[in-house]
Amino acid sequence: MTNPKTIIDIRDGKKVFGSFTALTDINLSIRQGEILTLLGPSGCGKTTLMRLIAGFETLTSGTISIDGNDCAGTPPERRPVNMVFQRYALFPHLDVFENVAFGLKVKGLPRSEVKERVNRMLNIVQLDNFANRYIDEISGGQSQRVALARALVNGPKVLLLDEPLAALDLKIRQHMLAEMKRIHAETGATFVYVTHDQDEAMILSDRVVLMEKGRIVQIDRPEDMYARPKSLFAAKFLGETNLFDATVSAVNGIGTTAVTTAGTPFLGAETEDRHVSERIIVSIRPESLSFQGGEAAQSAEGTVEDVVFIGSRSFYTVRLDDQSPVRIQVQRNGHLALPSVGDRTRIYWDSANVIMLPHA
Amino acid sequence: MLLRIIVWAILAFLLAPLLIIVLFSFHASPSLSFPFAGFSLRWYEELFGNAQLASAVIKSLTIALLTALVTLLLGATASLAWLRFGRAGRGMIEALTVTPIALPGLFVGVSLLVLFAQSGTQLSTATIVIAHVVIAIPILIVAMKARLALFDPSLEEAARDLGASQMQTFARVTLPLIAPTLIASSILAFAVSFDEFVVTSFVAGTETTLPMYIWSMMRRTVTPLVNAISTLALFFSIAILVASWLIGQARRRSAIAGRLEQLEPLP
């Protein structure tokens, strides 16, 4: 994707409901063809942001433009976007075919074209044999596909998906995630996907927009957001991590050193904007810690308190000699001897995996 | 065991008069007491030859039909308002419309009569229809709101999102989904109107509806004709209720199916 075109542009967006500010300082450019996830806990404003794009809400201030056109005052039916609703909102009085055909029919397309396009879309979502079923005669996963087809058949410039997998059980959810990626690749549409589930966001997205209390806190590729969270909130929301209150003791050419309140020093690779005696939070992921380390690795000693085996991985809790507990995730492979509960051990980490975050 | 006996006793107490009326409507003799002297259709024959009765029946049917139509229109608009209002608005609609159910018919009748008299309105078929609408609306609202509470408002948003204008959304989504509820409710209004007596007697003026005709017949003498009329009215009412129930069953594809899973409200 070289120089991707911006399809939706939101500038200084703000939305207030009565005395409640739902969204503020929203600046976001959505690129053509990407899967962009709006991720955040419930109440962070992600659904409101999506409803603003769909046209069900209006901005209190700021602008939204779709494909270069400011769409203030454009009602939902005249926006080139379509939405997959959280509970699908399929029409119970129509069968699968008529549900998918709805958008084309209200636009007054000729019957033959409606039929052709609906059938092609039903083929893409693999529901060819369910065209004449009513909505209460199909499963949750199938309803999901109908909802996708009903939106995509209109050829929207952007497809908005509001927690589309929330109502499905875990197994179908994983399958539908893969399906969603396939359908995205087949249709080439831009997907804006709202979820509170970090795994869905990681699996699906080209970029993740992390939101908290009505603000965008970080926009990044999922792997970058995971590896380089810019705030304590981001570090805690995506994946598991060990957090330590610490004070910067030295900043030099090789990195920043911070000493935790319990007394263990961590050397981090980043030096930007750090100064001595600044209070920060050190974050290190359980999988960035190990029981073996090279020459350059930092280390600390402690005692194994607990081990949990989860198939190929094991989670260890080690109490460092400074009394702080640390979670470690190790990949199990046969030839390495791993410590047991009660063993003295040394844990290692690299400066590249030490994340230093501003104090919240 | 005792419980069973009680249940059967109550059922017998409730249903025995009905059975006796039906039985004696086919009685060959004018006697209204046992022993039973054989079956005959003479009372029904006499009924169909009675012009006064025929005109009362037609009057009642006309009034019931008009009541059902007016109630349907008012009910449809009320239900649209209901769908758009929040909790507070719904509470208000309910308080305003449902209260008349608790008022005694006598009170409603007198109030309407005073109202018509003060406003110089001639008592006629129209005043009866107005009275019946007043009685039927609360019943309609009660019957409707349970169903409408299950109407998923995101269906209307979905229609808009797919390109339907407000009118198209109403015609293609909202109306088809609430239609069975509306029709079932207005059939109920028809049934209520058809046998309404107390309020009608205040506002009827010189008009005679079927219940009023029967009552006036009974005042003169208890004739077996009454049994035949009552039997016909009974089966007519049953037919209407069954129709209303059947239409209500068609909701499988209407409002209720939209929310098979009652999930948490959107954040």
Side-chain angles (χ1 to χ4, degrees), chain A residues 2 16 45 50 52 57 63 76-77 88 103 107 113 124 127 165 175 208 238 259 265 274 278 281 320 325-326 328 331:
Chain A
T2 50
V16 179
M50 164 164 292
L52 282 161
E57 310 283 354
T63 58
E77 64 265 29
Y88 318 136
K107 282 183 204 79
E113 190 187 340
I124 290 179
L127 283 175
L165 305 183
H175 176 67
V208 175
L238 287 147
V259 181
R274 295 275 170 250
E278 182 188 357
I281 287 169
L320 297 183
V326 176
I328 305 167
Q331 216 52 44

Side-chain angles (χ1 to χ4, degrees), chain A residues 83-133:
Chain A
M83 186 155 165
V84 173
F85 288 77
Q86 192 169 9
R87 288 172 295 221
Y88 318 136
L90 298 177
F91 304 126
H93 60 303
L94 301 176
D95 64 14
V96 168
F97 183 94
E98 290 297 328
N99 261 279
V100 178
F102 189 91
L104 302 177
K105 283 196 165 174
V106 295
K107 282 183 204 79
L109 265 63
R111 190 175 292 221
S112 57
E113 190 187 340
V114 171
K115 198 168 177 206
E116 189 204 317
R117 281 173 67 174
V118 171
N119 283 334
R120 196 187 326 136
M121 192 48 71
L122 287 177
N123 182 266
I124 290 179
V125 298
Q126 298 170 350
L127 283 175
D128 317 60
N129 299 325
F130 294 86
N132 299 319
R133 296 275 192 98

Side-chain angles (χ1 to χ4, degrees), chain A residues 41-204:
Chain A
S42 70
C44 73
K46 56 192 192 297
T47 296
T48 304
L49 182 52
M50 164 164 292
R51 291 174 60 82
L52 282 161
I53 298 172
F56 295 124
E57 310 283 354
T58 12
L59 275 178
T60 308
S61 66
T63 58
I64 297 178
S65 52
I66 300 175
D67 207 15
N69 304 311
D70 185 344
C71 54
T74 310
E77 64 265 29
R78 295 220 307 272
R79 298 192 179 202
V81 301
N82 286 114
M83 186 155 165
V84 173
F85 288 77
Q86 192 169 9
R87 288 172 295 221
Y88 318 136
L90 298 177
F91 304 126
H93 60 303
L94 301 176
D95 64 14
V96 168
F97 183 94
E98 290 297 328
N99 261 279
V100 178
F102 189 91
L104 302 177
K105 283 196 165 174
V106 295
K107 282 183 204 79
L109 265 63
R111 190 175 292 221
S112 57
E113 190 187 340
V114 171
K115 198 168 177 206
E116 189 204 317
R117 281 173 67 174
V118 171
N119 283 334
R120 196 187 326 136
M121 192 48 71
L122 287 177
N123 182 266
I124 290 179
V125 298
Q126 298 170 350
L127 283 175
D128 317 60
N129 299 325
F130 294 86
N132 299 319
R133 296 275 192 98
Y134 277 87
I135 299 313
D136 55 358
E137 297 167 340
I138 60 176
S139 70
Q142 288 162 344
S143 300
Q144 171 67 75
R145 290 160 197 261
V146 176
L148 271 171
R150 184 179 70 173
L152 283 169
V153 76
N154 303 289
K157 286 185 173 144
V158 177
L159 181 70
L160 306 168
L161 302 110
D162 185 10
E163 308 231 9
L165 305 183
L168 299 177
D169 61 45
L170 189 65
K171 262 200 169 147
I172 304 173
R173 206 181 302 178
Q174 284 170 343
H175 176 67
M176 279 311 297
L177 273 176
E179 279 289 286
M180 211 102 69
K181 275 202 139 170
R182 179 182 66 79
I183 291 165
H184 175 257
E186 259 178 70
T187 56
T190 308
F191 280 27
V192 175
Y193 188 100
V194 163
T195 185
H196 65 269
D197 185 310
Q198 42 151 324
D199 293 331
E200 284 178 25
M202 291 290 185
I203 293 167
L204 209 57

